[in-house]
Every structure is written in C-alpha cells, then in structure tokens.
Amino acid sequence: MTALTQTLGILGAGKVGTGLARQALLAGYRVLIAASGDPKNIDLIISVMAPGAVAASAAQVTAESDLIVLSVPLHKFRSLDPAALTGKHVVDTMNYWRDTNGEMPELEDAPSSSEMVLAHLPGALLAKSLNHIGYHELELDARPTGSPDRRALAVASDHNTTRAIVLEFVERLGFDGVDAGALANGTALEPGTPIFTGTFDMAGIEKELLAQLDAGVERQLSASLG
C-alpha cells in the first residue's frame, strides 16, 4: 500500500458506491462514504452494505481521502463542490442514462461526460474508470494478480500521477488495469461502446481501445475535410 492511497473516499452511497467500498475494504483501504445530508442518515445503510466503511460528510471525504470516487447520478454532478475537489485525485465512475438523468443539454455540448464533469471541477485531477463494470461484477469478477481469467478495466486521465493511482486501485480491487491515455479517451468507455458492453482481458481491452480511438480519429478527419 502506497502512502498516496491509504484512504478511499466515495461520494455516493448507492449500489456502485457501496460495492466499490466492499472491494476496497478487502484490498486494505480505509473507506469513507458520503451521501447528501447528515452522515447519520446513512449509518445503517453503510453498516449493512459495506461493513467497516465509515459514513462521513462530503467535507470529511474530500478533506481526508487520498483518492475520491464520484458515484452520484450524473445529472447531480453540479452538486459536487469544485473548491473541495481542487488538487484531489478523483475517479469518475458516472454514466449517462436518459431514463435516470433526463435531458442534459450540457452533455450534448461536451466531448465526453467526464470532460463535462471536469469543466465543473477544473481543479480536480480527474480520471475516468470503473464505469464499464457492473456493481455486482466488482465482487464476482475480481481475481488475484496473475489469474489467467482476470478481467481488465481501463483508466483515462490527463494526469500521469492520478492515472497511476487509479491503475493501482483497479489492480488492488482484483482487475488488470489498462492505461487508456488522456481523459478524452474516456469516450471509448462510455455506454454503447464495445468496452462498456463487453468483458475483456488486458489484450482484449487494449485492442478495443485502439480500434475505437482509431475510428474516432477517422471521424474527426472526415469532419474536418468536410
């Protein structure tokens, strides 16, 4: 365990947040979880769904955590405090679902959902990952390092240190981490993509990343040539 990643903070106490908390506790992290409002309101939920995690305020999570997971519904991203997340290593696990999130005009104007989030949190050291695995699969698919059937998950970020920290987090959760490069490459992990809908080992996800990113370059060239 590195000094950089001893405490994990999770903003969001739903199925994804508590599922990540359970795996992180198994991996040796101290885990803080916050929802909106008084931490006492989620004490019982946390004690049942993620025994060992601590129900905390959002302020405590952002102040004490070495890595912070964003696990709120995407349409609530503007409730996140930009000042509190400035300079923090943050991983965005959120996805856009029309039935849940409704219409989001700002998403239509953004290159990707994570870049939309970053525009609201310009000081955060943001990565995109853990959005392309179901919360139930976090426990079912986790495997020890070196297992031949170990699943891979990708990490995209503009910050090398943040990307390394999140890759380590993914590894410790029980998955092979794959460096997806810049945050903009997170489009290859979004709902509807092969990576989102499929299950891959390291070689498979690297192949899919290359294919999707190459296709994106071709689309940009076609658009620029008019």
Side-chain angles (χ1 to χ4, degrees):
M1 183 183 299
T2 70
L4 290 175
T5 53
Q6 292 180 344
T7 299
L8 178 74
I10 301 174
L11 296 176
K15 293 176 179 178
V16 174
T18 53
L20 278 168
R22 290 192 295 273
Q23 284 301 103
L25 288 163
L26 289 174
Y29 289 89
R30 171 185 178 232
V31 179
L32 306 176
I33 304 180
S36 58
D38 191 330
K40 293 179 181 178
N41 295 335
I42 61 169
D43 269 338
L44 180 59
I45 294 172
I46 300 306
S47 66
V48 172
M49 298 300 295
V54 176
S57 66
Q60 183 183 0
V61 165
T62 54
E64 296 185 14
S65 300
D66 305 305
L67 176 64
I68 298 168
V69 172
L70 305 182
S71 187
V72 300
L74 183 61
H75 66 279
K76 294 185 177 181
F77 79 97
R78 291 198 181 280
S79 68
L80 301 168
D81 183 355
L85 292 169
T86 294
K88 296 290 186 176
H89 300 289
V90 179
V91 56
D92 171 19
T93 70
M94 301 180 291
N95 289 309
Y96 174 67
W97 304 109
R98 185 178 298 274
D99 290 347
T100 301
N101 304 125
E103 298 294 331
M104 295 184 65
E106 62 267 60
L107 181 57
E108 296 177 9
D109 295 333
S112 68
S113 61
S114 288
E115 287 168 287
M116 176 188 71
V117 172
L118 183 61
H120 175 62
L121 306 171
L125 307 175
L126 192 68
K128 180 73 168 183
S129 190
L130 294 163
N131 70 304
H132 50 294
I133 183 170
Y135 68 89
H136 57 291
E137 296 171 328
L138 286 166
E139 293 165 288
L140 293 174
D141 291 359
R143 298 288 186 275
T145 301
S147 297
D149 60 341
R150 202 175 198 224
R151 183 171 175 176
L153 299 172
V155 179
S157 179
D158 293 334
H159 304 279
N160 292 337
T161 300
T162 301
R163 195 184 313 115
I165 288 171
V166 180
L167 284 167
E168 178 197 45
F169 180 49
V170 167
E171 293 279 349
R172 286 171 57 181
L173 290 180
F175 303 89
D176 286 333
V178 176
D179 187 340
L183 186 67
N185 296 341
T187 54
L189 316 179
E190 291 183 344
T193 64
I195 289 175
F196 185 90
T197 57
T199 301
F200 301 93
D201 61 10
M202 183 176 285
I205 209 167
E206 288 174 344
K207 180 179 178 181
E208 288 295 335
L209 276 170
L210 287 173
Q212 292 186 64
L213 296 176
D214 285 346
V217 170
E218 289 180 6
R219 286 193 295 270
Q220 289 176 4
L221 286 174
S222 296
S224 66
L225 294 173

